[in-house]
Amino acid sequence: MATGVREKSIPAIGARRRPLVWPRFLFAASIFTLLVVVSASMIFPYVWMTINSFKEKFFFYTNPYTLIPQPITIETYVDALGPGMVGRFLLNSALYACIVVTAQLLLNSLCAYAFARLEFPGRDVLFVLVLASMMLPGAVTLIPSFLVVNAFGLIGGGAGAAGSVLAVVLPSFAGAFGIFMLRQFFLNIPKELEDAAIVDGAGLLTTYWRIIMPLAKPALLTLGLLVFLSEWNSFIWPLIVLNNTELYTVTIGINLFRQEATTEWPRVFAGSVAATLPIIVLFLITQRYIIGGISLSGLKG
């Protein structure tokens, strides 16, 4: 009798659960539809900008909302990258971003290692002050940064092109977010590895360079990409400190296509596509490292 009761109870349970399939399917379909709509709303402006960058000027101004260029031309790209100097501006932005990334990875990792492993008076208070600096808007530190850079004689062209480059990158040599992120990652590294290196005669700097840094590659790559994106999109600070057009970043250079009375939109679109394409390719290549680096650093919660 026990067997018969068990055989009857199984279909009854299954019959009760079958009606729940449709609500789950409808919920999943609703979420998928919502994601598609949101994704399309984000992607469409870039697609529309790309299509318009291949239009002739006359055709664009007469048919700005047509999604089929007639004819397709690369004249705007040749004009923007050549006489428009967008190619030069792209190289400038890449130079500034690479310098800042190199400096931040070195200085931030040294500070993070000190906060994560060294014991010294006031360490926790100092770390709290570093975190508090993340709450300050960029506009608050704009004038103090300008006064400091100006005190070094880097503004005004007196120090030459090298001085102007240093004026752009110097305030970004270290960042509170990078220190915090790397410190969280270093705390997850087993301290026994460092103890073993110290027993073998390694000093602090040797342990940092040969033990910590190789293990921190996911976090370093993630931080490097985030810093690169931030510097690539920088506009206000380079505009303030630079007075030589040939040293402008790509964000400032594209803005030069806007005149007082008119805006050369096809050149703006071509320059914008040329400026965003390297970032998109870089993100697609390194996105799995970004997710892994953020997860391992403990920032997920």
Side-chain angles (χ1 to χ4, degrees), residues 116-149:
R117 290 292 190 256
L118 301 185
E119 298 286 345
F120 55 89
R123 182 192 66 174
D124 295 337
V125 175
L126 185 59
F127 183 66
V128 170
L129 293 176
V130 172
L131 293 182
S133 66
M134 296 174 59
M135 310 300 175
L136 297 176
V140 174
T141 60
L142 198 62
I143 295 178
S145 298
F146 179 84
L147 294 177
V148 171
V149 173

Side-chain angles (χ1 to χ4, degrees), residues 246-286:
E246 295 184 355
L247 298 177
Y248 279 174
T249 61
V250 66
T251 52
I252 302 176
I254 294 175
N255 196 59
L256 295 179
F257 297 147
R258 302 180 60 183
Q259 308 296 330
E260 183 176 354
T262 60
T263 299
E264 302 180 37
W265 288 114
R267 296 176 73 182
V268 171
F269 293 150
S272 300
V273 171
T276 55
L277 188 60
I279 299 300
I280 293 176
V281 173
L282 185 62
F283 176 78
L284 293 176
I285 295 174
T286 60

Side-chain angles (χ1 to χ4, degrees), residues 101 104-105 108 177-178 181-182 185 215-230 282-283 285-299:
V101 168
Q104 284 221 19
L105 292 183
N108 289 348
F177 173 78
M181 178 180 175
L182 293 179
F185 189 92
L215 294 175
K217 285 182 180 179
L220 293 173
L221 182 60
T222 302
L223 178 62
L225 183 59
L226 294 177
V227 173
F228 188 91
L229 292 175
S230 176
L282 185 62
F283 176 78
I285 295 174
T286 60
Q287 60 176 335
R288 65 188 183 96
Y289 298 104
I290 297 176
I291 298 173
I294 293 177
S295 300
L296 292 174
S297 63
L299 297 182

